[in-house]
Amino acid sequence: MILQVEGLGKRFGGLQALEDVTFDLPEGQILGLIGPNGAGKTTLFNNISGVYTPTAGRVIFRGEDITGLKSYYVARKGMARTHQIVRPLKELSVLENVMVGACFGQYDYKLGKAKEIAHEVLEFVGLESRIDQLAGSLNVGQKKRLEMARSLASQPNLLLLDEVLAGLNPSEISYMVEIVKRIRAERGITIIMIEHVMHAVMNVSDRMVVLDYGRQLAEGTPDEVSQNPKVIEAYLGDPKLAEKLMASGGE
Amino acid sequence: MSIPTQTKASPPSRTITAVLKEYAGLLIPIGVVLFIIAWPTITGKDISREAMFTVLLSIALASSLNILLGYSGYVSFGHVVFFGLGGYVGFYLMSVHEWLLWPAMAAGGVSSGLLAFLLGKAILRLRGGYFALATIGINEAIRAAINNFTPFGGPVGMTLNFQVYKNYGGASEALWLSFYTLAAMTLIVITVSYFVRTSKFGLGLLAIREDEDAAEIMGVIAPNAKTWAYVLSAIIPGVLGVLFFFKNGSIEPLPAFRLHFSIEMIVMVMLGGQGTVLGPIIGGLGYQSLRGFLLTSPIFKNIQLAVAGALLLLIILFIPSGIVGWLRKRVPALRRVLR
Amino acid sequence: MDFLLASLIDGLLLGFVYGIAAMGLTLIWGVMNVINLSHGPIIALGMFGVYYIFSALGIHPYLALIAVAAGGLLLGGLIYFVAVHRVIDAPHLSTLLATFSVNMIIIGLGTAAFSASPRNVDFTLGSFEIGSITILGTRLVAAILAMFVTGGLYLFLYKSRYGRYIRAVTDNRDAAELMGVPSVRILALSFGLGTMLAAISGGLIATFFPFTILAGGSYELKSFVVSVLGGLGNPVGALLAGLILGAIEGIIPTVLPTTWVPVLEFVLFILILLFRPQGLFKTKSS
């Protein structure tokens, strides 16, 4: 198991944002994390990656308890993530952005080596022509790929992807899905992805976890999850989403 | 801002022009500063040595501040505290314990660096305006404390016995000595600034400046990086405080911790271009030249502060990245050369 | 004992004036996250306003305050549009330096116009005694006026339409804009109100202390301390914190040399910033 989440809970004052989330993630799998808006998906990422300290439970990463570890130490243990709302280092070039990922990830590369890795990764995500451009001047789709490149440059063992498909047009989506598949296939990186684009996440995930109001509603293969009555009920609040869910489950 | 991309293909024997090109970001600033250092010898006038002393002091202080302000984005408004405190410690050692200038300068630098290290752990948690306010508070608190500290002479401060300058070959020799010591320190700051800017440590600082939370998620240990940037930016002001007040012959709380002086340093950094190696040099030179012009101009003499304020406002509003930053944006080819 | 009480009362009365000066600073911070470094010179302009209206036109200083307040409001709006509006969303450094350049402009022009020699509003309300304690009339009136100003500000913020707009923009500018609040006008108005409060406090101070164009600087620093004690962005907190600062300034000199007052003030300031950045009075961190 690369990641074990055990009874994870997070409370903000009077608000229970996460409660008793438990799942295991074997190495090399892609785990889809879905749930209605406000279900606590990003909060879960924040608790795993050290942005927040959980108020209950444990996070075990590569056999080591990392609960409450600061985000920079978590990053240096081999976990990388992207942000739902992109956070480019605007006044730095695309290359420099990606070099930051390589320099301060788990391998602590020197600048020269980091530059090589950055070139390679930028080519992988298809941004090699934008290397000298300032990151702030990219469009949304390119910024998403930059986030991806930055996290890949740290050569992580586990990658947390927070809605990398949101805001992309259909051709960009299929390009990005392809990248996600290749990350696992060619680099053997384990992935957890939060996604609202149902058909895409159903398509690439080995297993899925469904959150609703901070609770874990279901866990299983995409087929199992899409036929789970509790999941369907949770999505009934959003009939369009429920429809999508069932449609894609039947693929 | 970009880092040259063609290292993969660097040939085994590099030509001199290639080296020049690679280090242009350092050589241009050094060249400008060497010219300033040589100016008093070129003109042969004592008055230009005094003018250039002020310019070099501005450049060195602004470049030090830039390591924190320009690279990591933390606005230290009370940075003069390091100049004043270092100055006081060194001055005390020279006047009471008869230390020579250089060990006293070292002591000044160490005490300022130490203060920054201790403070940094605490106040660098604060962001934006809160950090700026805290640095103002620290400067005021330390000034007020020194005002009450009798070993340092309280509100009257301390003076150096004129005899002290005999150790350096007389008062006039001491002035030249101060000038060349300052020149050496300025060259050191600029070199440090360049190597920070182009190092991995510097890349981490720039990432913090752009988005601290994102930088941390990428593994930049921001609390440590910020603290070291703060310490680095505090040492030279401490060293120069000793030198300045040695040359001055006396030290008092008010001139040593003058908040306005802090803000002038920020203005120089902004004018030249924050986050660049060359910027604070251009800014220091430009600011002091302008000030000299306004102070002696019959039209502006009486309202020089207001004119300077209006110019500053125009820069903030219309070229916020400063002269060097503006050039780099306008002429992409210069990005390889101007750092 | 009497000496302590007299000193404390003196300090508290002055504290009201610190309170409204800080209220101006904190209002601007709360609404637009700008630390107004032109606060001090505006306090000084308030002093000169009262001085000239009184000594040149012979108008009663407290009536002169009305003109000073109006002038402060207009000046603040002007400063907002000239110096702040363009950089309102830029990093903090820009607004700090933009308002600092206004500081330089005012001090520069002020020094040329008023010279650096100290002025004094030649006006007194005498003093009166309660038991063995003497209270200066001008200080008492200043404290009472400061209370009225605070009350007026409170009514404006909570009862008027524009006041509600200001609070909405303080809360969330983007959301307020979506609801149709004219945010630019509200920002300018808030800046104007902030400088108006600064000018009024300066005018009040002028009735009991001599001053120069540079005199605002120390009150600006005190306003920082008071605003942080009261919680940046919290006008009511600022008034209470002003009283605390006044009390400190009243009590400390009875046990320690006066020169220790700023040491304690600024140490307190730093400690609050570090450990209670929301200020002394707010219980829940926002």
Side-chain angles (χ1 to χ4, degrees):
Chain A
M1 290 297 151
I2 190 166
L3 183 77
Q4 292 154 278
V5 175
E6 296 174 1
L8 200 71
K10 177 69 183 176
R11 173 177 279 282
F12 294 105
L15 177 80
Q16 187 77 43
L18 280 181
E19 199 175 351
D20 200 21
V21 177
T22 301
F23 63 87
D24 287 346
L25 180 58
E27 196 148 359
Q29 282 205 350
I30 296 181
L31 178 77
L33 184 58
I34 62 165
N37 279 324
K41 302 182 296 294
T42 299
T43 310
L44 179 60
F45 269 16
N46 283 335
N47 279 283
I48 293 175
S49 64
V51 175
Y52 297 149
T53 303
T55 41
R58 297 201 302 161
V59 180
I60 295 169
F61 180 51
R62 301 169 78 195
E64 197 180 335
D65 190 338
I66 60 159
T67 319
L69 206 62
K70 293 273 185 205
S71 55
Y72 34 84
Y73 293 126
V74 174
R76 284 163 181 254
K77 294 204 177 292
M79 194 189 299
R81 69 174 284 188
T82 67
H83 297 91
Q84 184 181 358
I85 297 157
V86 290
R87 303 181 82 154
L89 309 172
K90 288 186 193 138
E91 295 283 315
L92 300 190
S93 70
V94 167
L95 183 70
E96 283 171 311
N97 265 267
V98 181
M99 282 172 66
V100 173
C103 273
F104 299 96
Q106 64 174 325
Y107 298 107
D108 228 7
Y109 288 121
K110 294 209 165 29
L111 284 176
K113 177 75 180 160
K115 200 181 288 174
E116 270 175 44
I117 293 170
H119 276 283
E120 186 268 322
V121 170
L122 281 167
E123 203 167 318
F124 181 77
V125 302
L127 277 181
E128 69 275 18
S129 58
R130 313 248 164 223
I131 270 172
D132 283 331
Q133 215 169 311
L134 290 187
S137 68
L138 297 178
N139 67 31
V140 180
Q142 291 162 342
K143 281 179 182 160
K144 293 252 172 188
R145 279 188 268 160
L146 177 65
E147 286 259 332
M148 189 80 107
R150 237 165 38 174
S151 56
L152 281 178
S154 70
Q155 308 200 329
N157 303 78
L158 173 64
L159 184 56
L160 310 182
L161 300 177
D162 196 348
E163 294 200 29
V164 284
L165 305 179
L168 301 187
N169 66 37
S171 77
E172 285 172 328
I173 287 181
S174 52
Y175 186 86
M176 199 61 123
V177 167
E178 214 41 54
I179 289 179
V180 172
K181 284 180 173 168
R182 283 178 57 204
I183 290 173
R184 197 251 307 255
E186 294 170 20
R187 294 167 190 249
I189 297 173
T190 314
I191 294 172
I192 306 181
M193 62 188 298
I194 295 176
E195 206 44 73
H196 278 302
V197 183
M198 270 321 150
H199 68 88
V201 69
M202 291 273 172
N203 180 325
V204 299
S205 301
D206 298 303
R207 282 149 50 76
M208 304 189 75
V209 166
V210 188
L211 289 184
D212 189 29
Y213 292 109
R215 288 160 184 276
Q216 189 171 342
L217 208 58
E219 193 207 337
T221 63
D223 272 350
E224 284 164 7
V225 163
S226 61
Q227 270 140 41
N228 185 321
K230 278 200 281 184
V231 176
I232 294 169
E233 196 191 315
Y235 275 98
L236 279 182
D238 189 344
K240 257 165 76 186
L241 212 55
E243 209 170 278
K244 265 193 209 166
L245 185 70
M246 283 182 284
S248 51
E251 261 177 36
Chain B
M1 285 256 159
S2 67
I3 286 165
T5 53
Q6 66 279 48
T7 35
K8 263 199 254 180
S10 71
S13 66
R14 291 186 298 178
T15 58
I16 292 176
T17 45
V19 175
L20 281 180
K21 219 173 184 176
E22 187 177 344
Y23 286 99
L26 177 61
L27 295 174
I28 294 172
I30 295 273
V32 175
V33 171
L34 283 176
F35 185 75
I36 296 168
I37 295 170
W39 187 248
T41 320
I42 296 170
T43 60
K45 287 184 201 151
D46 279 3
I47 183 106
S48 41
R49 183 196 62 216
E50 292 310 296
M52 290 306 118
F53 187 92
T54 311
V55 169
L56 287 176
L57 185 68
S58 302
I59 291 174
L61 292 174
S63 295
S64 297
L65 177 62
N66 184 46
I67 293 175
L68 182 75
L69 173 84
Y71 299 160
S72 78
Y74 274 72
V75 185
S76 177
F77 241 79
H79 217 63
V80 70
V81 74
F82 300 115
F83 181 77
L85 184 87
Y88 254 101
V89 170
F91 203 93
Y92 169 76
L93 293 171
M94 287 189 293
S95 71
V96 179
H97 297 285
E98 294 175 356
W99 283 33
L100 280 176
L101 174 63
W102 297 282
M105 283 169 69
V110 169
S111 25
S112 289
L114 205 61
L115 177 70
F117 182 77
L118 296 174
L119 285 177
K121 288 284 176 197
I123 64 169
L124 284 163
R125 289 190 288 126
L126 302 170
R127 295 204 182 166
Y130 286 88
F131 177 77
L133 279 179
T135 62
I136 294 177
I138 282 160
N139 184 55
E140 295 303 311
I142 291 185
R143 175 174 68 191
I146 283 187
N147 221 11
N148 287 294
F149 190 59
T150 37
F152 283 0
V156 272
M158 297 176 279
T159 50
L160 273 184
N161 188 325
F162 202 67
Q163 298 298 322
V164 166
Y165 298 113
K166 287 209 168 138
N167 295 326
Y168 312 94
S172 138
E173 296 302 312
L175 287 175
W176 278 109
L177 178 82
S178 302
F179 181 77
Y180 284 115
T181 312
L182 173 62
M185 296 314 302
T186 311
L187 291 172
I188 291 174
V189 189
I190 286 160
T191 314
V192 169
S193 175
Y194 174 81
F195 283 106
V196 169
R197 173 66 183 79
T198 52
S199 70
K200 184 172 153 176
F201 169 59
L203 184 63
L205 293 180
L206 296 177
I208 290 171
R209 179 187 75 192
E210 294 300 316
D211 185 337
E212 188 164 341
D213 296 325
E216 288 195 338
I217 282 176
M218 285 186 271
V220 179
I221 305 178
N224 293 353
K226 288 185 292 187
T227 304
W228 288 119
Y230 197 38
V231 170
L232 263 184
S233 75
I235 292 175
I236 295 290
V239 171
L240 294 179
V242 183
L243 182 68
F244 179 83
F245 290 105
F246 163 80
K247 177 171 172 282
N248 197 40
S250 66
I251 189 166
E252 285 170 64
L254 219 58
F257 298 97
R258 206 159 50 93
L259 198 58
H260 190 89
F261 190 38
S262 259
I263 301 174
E264 280 182 314
M265 286 186 223
I266 300 178
V267 170
M268 292 175 217
V269 174
M270 285 291 283
L271 175 66
Q274 51 170 328
T276 64
V277 182
L278 185 60
I281 300 172
I282 304 295
L285 182 62
Y287 180 84
Q288 293 298 353
S289 313
L290 181 71
R291 199 161 165 267
F293 165 75
L294 290 176
L295 277 172
T296 51
S297 139
I299 311 167
F300 296 124
K301 196 172 57 187
N302 290 323
I303 51 162
Q304 55 99 2
L305 195 62
V307 177
L311 285 172
L312 172 62
L313 185 59
L314 290 176
I315 289 166
I316 309 282
L317 295 181
F318 299 105
I319 37 171
S321 51
I323 295 165
V324 175
W326 183 81
L327 281 174
R328 284 175 55 107
K329 270 190 191 138
R330 270 308 173 85
V331 193
L334 285 177
R335 285 190 207 158
R336 293 276 162 87
V337 193
L338 295 184
R339 292 265 180 195
Chain C
M1 200 55 216
D2 278 350
F3 174 61
L4 177 77
L5 195 61
S7 180
L8 177 62
I9 289 176
D10 242 16
L12 283 175
L13 292 178
L14 202 53
F16 279 101
V17 181
Y18 293 164
I20 55 167
M23 232 184 272
L25 196 73
T26 216
L27 180 75
I28 292 174
W29 168 273
V31 176
M32 60 195 97
N33 266 7
V34 168
I35 296 174
N36 178 16
L37 290 178
S38 62
H39 196 66
I42 290 164
I43 293 176
L45 285 183
M47 297 169 171
F48 278 93
V50 166
Y51 172 82
Y52 276 110
I53 296 171
F54 172 68
S55 58
L57 306 175
I59 292 171
H60 194 283
Y62 296 127
L63 282 177
L65 269 182
I66 297 172
V68 164
L73 188 66
L74 291 176
L75 179 64
L78 180 72
I79 293 174
Y80 177 80
F81 282 115
V82 172
V84 181
H85 183 65
R86 210 183 143 90
V87 286
I88 186 100
D89 291 320
H92 271 96
L93 185 57
S94 302
T95 48
L96 280 166
L97 289 181
T99 54
F100 183 73
S101 52
V102 174
N103 174 320
M104 288 167 75
I105 294 169
I106 297 176
I107 300 260
L109 294 176
T111 313
F114 308 132
S115 84
S117 53
R119 306 299 167 91
N120 185 20
V121 176
D122 190 13
F123 166 78
T124 172
L125 290 173
S127 62
F128 50 93
E129 285 167 23
I130 306 170
S132 55
I133 295 159
T134 310
I135 294 173
L136 276 175
T138 45
R139 292 228 189 163
L140 184 67
V141 173
I144 292 168
L145 287 178
M147 278 188 265
F148 274 115
V149 170
T150 310
L153 181 74
Y154 182 85
L155 284 180
F156 177 75
L157 286 180
Y158 284 84
K159 301 292 173 199
S160 77
R161 186 157 58 106
Y162 276 92
R164 279 197 294 272
Y165 284 169
I166 289 179
R167 287 188 297 127
V169 172
T170 306
D171 218 35
N172 185 333
R173 173 145 44 106
D174 293 336
E177 270 170 25
L178 286 177
M179 313 269 281
V181 172
S183 77
V184 174
R185 255 185 292 162
I186 291 304
L187 291 173
L189 174 66
S190 310
F191 207 95
L193 284 173
T195 57
M196 181 186 88
L197 290 167
I200 293 175
S201 71
L204 290 173
I205 294 166
T207 60
F208 39 79
F209 289 139
F211 54 88
T212 69
I213 185 71
L214 299 174
S218 67
Y219 295 103
E220 178 175 312
L221 286 173
K222 283 185 208 294
S223 299
F224 287 154
V225 177
V226 171
S227 313
V228 165
L229 289 185
L232 274 167
N234 176 0
V236 181
L239 188 74
L240 294 175
L243 294 178
I244 293 176
L245 194 79
I248 291 176
E249 293 193 353
I251 295 169
I252 301 299
T254 63
V255 287
L256 277 174
T258 318
T259 48
W260 281 97
V261 172
V263 182
L264 294 171
E265 280 175 3
F266 285 108
V267 168
L268 183 65
F269 170 72
I270 298 161
L271 291 178
I272 297 283
L273 269 177
L274 287 178
F275 300 109
R276 272 194 79 83
Q278 74 275 31
L280 288 175
F281 309 114
K282 233 182 196 165
T283 46
K284 244 182 81 187
S285 62
S286 47

